[in-house]
Amino acid sequence: MSCFRFRRPPLTDLTRQSTNSFCRDDSEPLLQNSEVPPKKRIKLEDNQLYQSKFTENKENDFISTALCWNKELYTSLTSQHTLFRRELWGTAVGESPMASTRWNASTRFFMKNFASSDKDIFKFLGDRGLVAPFACSFSHVAQDGKCLAVADEEGMVGLIDARYDNTIETERVRTEFRAHDNAVFDIMWSPDDRQMVTASGDQTARLWDVELQQCKAVFLAHTCSIKSVNYNSIDPNMWVTASRDGNIFIWDARTVGMQTPEGETLYKPVNSIRSAHSLDNPKKKTRKSCSLPHRSKPTSSVTGAQFLKHQQHLLASSGAIDGIIKFWDLRNHSNTKASLPVQISINGATAKRPHGISTLILDNSGTRLYANSTDNYIYQYDPINLGAPLTRFTSPTFRCSSFYIRMAISPDDRYIVSGSSDKCIYMWETDFPDENPIVLKAHENEVTSLSWSRDLELFASCSDDTSLRLWRVDKSNSNE
């Protein structure tokens, strides 16, 4: 009796079949029209140079420094790597992009060369001396994406041209204007950089014309300090604010506001999520309670709210006490309906008591959600299927002990940086969470807000030591 032996197809055929099965629609035939020439596919040999650059011993980082400083080569190989990864692994239609296997190489050598000199330090003078900057944000396109907006504890907003060091301010005066009469906790540029939104401790958010430094709208509904503001990347006319009063409000610049005698235009929210992270059960409203302002306990503060990119109507939020993330479907909410989340994260903290989340950010591709927790961990979640954290980042010396500590993500989504109470900045590679972070000796007090420009080689940090620092790649260390 003859034995039938199954012959294993070559790896290239398996790759082609798996990629086609992921990308093919159910109604599409398995075989394409023979008259249509197949698309050119990237071969493994084309990427051997890129792969070999990073397969050397980690101690020999100098081997890859030439790759880092040649921007054209770095960009070309990064694009090749992205196309090759898509070709090799693919992404299943209708499934989370997190499910696809990532093929990445460590670029730790790049992170090691960030430095900040005395000429990269900027100070802020207030009515009673030097004041601490509370928030900073880089522009998208203005001044090549290096116009840095900085807000301080007295409500002033200054614009710094990060293309130059601080010696430029001896030649021209820094552009500044008073945005609020209280501290500004968050600031966000519009996608076209013509406007910006500021969130303040005076319980208002304001829309500003950047060129004229004029207030175009006042958004008034919160009853406590506003901690976070974020634009909707799909619809730039909408943004969301999160406050210590426990409420989340959604605003639309296309609505008609009400004029005040002072010449300001007041706007009301178009949607709201009240008591988003409150631990108390909702109670039935009485006639007396309806006549009083809606206030939540300080512990129910909402520290972050973020529009998700894969669906315009979904919103993510984080709280100061429960240590969880919630997803909200804005189609199910209004100013009169009760708020119920559509997804709730599973607490992945190892501590016995729950900890709050100080920052919630979504990466530029919209495929990874990061939460900076006061238990000294940064948790990564899948923004499509929330559940438990996929991974976490930490260090024995990393300290996130206040809700003023923020984090930022690089424009290519490869790195995350976070402030810390130990006066340092911590940098991780997003694809290597188990590796020790790069620690930058940064400031003389707690490091709070950070912002990364669209230039991979530049980011900024704020601190309670009343200074802002610019961090640039020091190319003089490339041969060390």
Side-chain angles (χ1 to χ4, degrees):
M1 181 178 178
S2 62
C3 179
F4 177 77
R5 179 174 296 176
F6 176 75
R7 182 179 180 184
R8 178 180 295 178
L11 176 61
T12 53
D13 292 340
L14 286 174
T15 304
R16 185 178 297 111
Q17 292 172 11
S18 62
T19 305
N20 289 339
S21 64
F22 284 147
C23 301
R24 182 179 59 84
D25 185 71
D26 292 337
S27 61
E28 182 183 352
L30 287 174
L31 297 178
Q32 298 180 354
N33 191 343
S34 59
E35 297 179 358
V36 180
K39 294 182 179 180
K40 184 178 180 181
R41 298 185 178 275
I42 300 175
K43 298 181 180 180
L44 182 62
E45 292 78 15
D46 298 335
N47 294 273
Q48 286 178 348
L49 174 63
Y50 177 52
Q51 187 178 9
S52 63
K53 287 287 184 181
F54 301 98
T55 53
E56 303 292 339
N57 192 311
K58 291 184 178 179
E59 298 179 355
N60 299 329
D61 286 339
F62 65 89
I63 298 177
S64 303
T65 53
L67 176 65
C68 179
W69 311 132
N70 190 332
K71 283 190 175 181
E72 294 182 358
L73 178 60
Y74 181 84
T75 304
S76 173
L77 293 179
T78 303
S79 301
Q80 260 192 354
H81 157 243
T82 303
L83 293 174
F84 173 70
R85 186 178 62 193
R86 183 184 304 171
E87 172 68 19
L88 185 60
W89 302 111
T91 301
V93 177
E95 291 187 6
S96 168
M98 297 296 301
S100 61
T101 305
R102 296 176 64 92
W103 186 79
N104 279 315
S106 175
T107 52
R108 187 180 178 86
F109 64 89
F110 176 79
M111 301 164 56
K112 291 181 178 179
N113 292 289
F114 274 100
S116 179
S117 67
D118 292 340
K119 292 184 178 180
D120 292 318
I121 301 176
F122 294 82
K123 294 285 187 174
F124 303 87
L125 184 63
D127 297 335
R128 298 184 300 273
L130 293 175
V131 295
F134 275 4
C136 62
S137 178
F138 274 105
S139 61
H140 300 98
V141 293
Q143 296 177 353
D144 297 329
K146 297 181 180 179
C147 183
L148 181 64
V150 187
D152 63 36
E153 62 178 329
E154 290 191 353
M156 296 294 293
V157 173
L159 302 179
I160 295 175
D161 190 347
R163 294 175 296 181
Y164 311 98
D165 55 32
N166 57 18
T167 58
I168 192 65
E169 297 194 342
T170 62
E171 303 175 6
R172 61 190 186 195
V173 179
R174 183 191 305 172
T175 301
E176 289 183 320
F177 62 93
R178 180 168 293 280
H180 297 265
D181 293 327
N182 205 321
V184 177
F185 294 111
D186 204 3
I187 186 169
M188 183 68 61
W189 292 83
S190 64
D192 59 3
D193 290 339
R194 295 181 179 180
Q195 301 173 342
M196 67 171 59
V197 179
T198 54
S200 172
D202 63 7
Q203 306 174 9
T204 67
R206 293 175 179 262
L207 178 66
W208 296 91
D209 184 305
V210 177
E211 183 178 1
L212 302 177
Q213 290 100 51
Q214 291 182 353
C215 180
K216 300 183 63 177
V218 180
F219 304 96
L220 181 61
H222 288 289
T223 57
C224 288
S225 300
I226 303 177
K227 302 295 292 182
S228 170
V229 59
N230 271 298
Y231 268 96
N232 187 337
S233 61
I234 301 177
D235 186 353
N237 292 300
M238 300 185 67
W239 56 87
V240 59
T241 55
S243 170
R244 288 187 63 193
D245 60 14
N247 301 325
I248 301 171
F249 290 142
I250 293 87
W251 312 85
D252 193 334
R254 295 165 294 192
T255 58
V256 178
M258 180 182 65
Q259 295 292 329
T260 66
E262 292 79 13
E264 295 181 333
T265 305
L266 301 181
Y267 285 82
K268 293 183 178 181
V270 296
N271 208 336
S272 65
I273 303 173
R274 296 186 179 273
S275 302
H277 287 264
S278 176
L279 298 180
D280 299 332
N281 294 326
K283 298 180 180 179
K284 184 176 180 180
K285 292 184 179 180
T286 62
R287 182 177 299 178
K288 183 178 180 180
S289 64
C290 291
S291 62
L292 298 175
H294 185 87
R295 289 181 178 267
S296 299
K297 294 182 179 181
T299 53
S300 65
S301 170
V302 183
T303 57
Q306 181 81 51
F307 285 102
L308 300 180
K309 294 186 177 182
H310 66 281
Q311 290 189 19
Q312 181 179 359
H313 56 272
L314 286 184
L315 183 76
S317 68
S318 60
I321 187 174
D322 52 11
I324 62 174
I325 298 173
K326 297 181 180 181
F327 285 179
W328 309 87
D329 191 333
L330 299 180
R331 297 172 298 182
N332 300 334
H333 300 283
S334 67
N335 292 327
T336 58
K337 293 182 179 180
S339 302
L340 293 175
V342 293
Q343 289 190 54
I344 300 178
S345 68
I346 300 174
N347 196 341
T350 57
K352 294 181 180 180
R353 65 178 181 87
H355 287 75
I357 295 174
S358 67
T359 322
L360 184 69
I361 60 172
L362 185 69
D363 71 355
N364 300 288
S365 65
T367 59
R368 294 181 176 186
L369 187 66
Y370 297 94
N372 202 344
S373 174
T374 55
D375 65 355
N376 305 324
Y377 284 91
I378 295 177
Y379 296 96
Q380 176 189 316
Y381 293 88
D382 185 346
I384 297 180
N385 300 311
L386 191 54
L390 299 177
T391 189
R392 60 186 184 179
F393 305 81
T394 191
S395 172
T397 57
F398 174 59
R399 292 292 178 267
C400 179
S401 57
S402 79
F403 292 101
Y404 292 97
I405 293 177
R406 305 282 184 98
M407 59 180 169
I409 192 164
S410 64
D412 62 354
D413 295 337
R414 285 180 178 269
Y415 317 105
I416 53 174
V417 292
S418 175
S420 176
S421 299
D422 68 345
K423 311 174 187 179
C424 297
I425 296 174
Y426 288 77
M427 303 178 64
W428 289 271
E429 289 184 278
T430 57
D431 291 313
F432 299 91
D434 297 330
E435 296 292 331
N436 292 326
I438 298 295
V439 182
L440 303 176
K441 304 297 182 181
H443 293 270
E444 298 177 0
N445 210 325
E446 182 177 86
V447 183
T448 53
S449 178
L450 299 105
S451 181
W452 209 312
S453 77
R454 73 173 189 178
D455 182 356
L456 190 62
E457 300 181 0
L458 174 66
F459 71 88
S461 63
C462 298
S463 173
D464 286 345
D465 63 4
T466 70
S467 72
L468 176 139
R469 279 185 176 270
L470 297 178
W471 297 85
R472 312 176 194 270
V473 171
D474 185 5
K475 299 187 171 99
S476 63
N477 295 330
S478 60
N479 294 324
E480 295 182 2

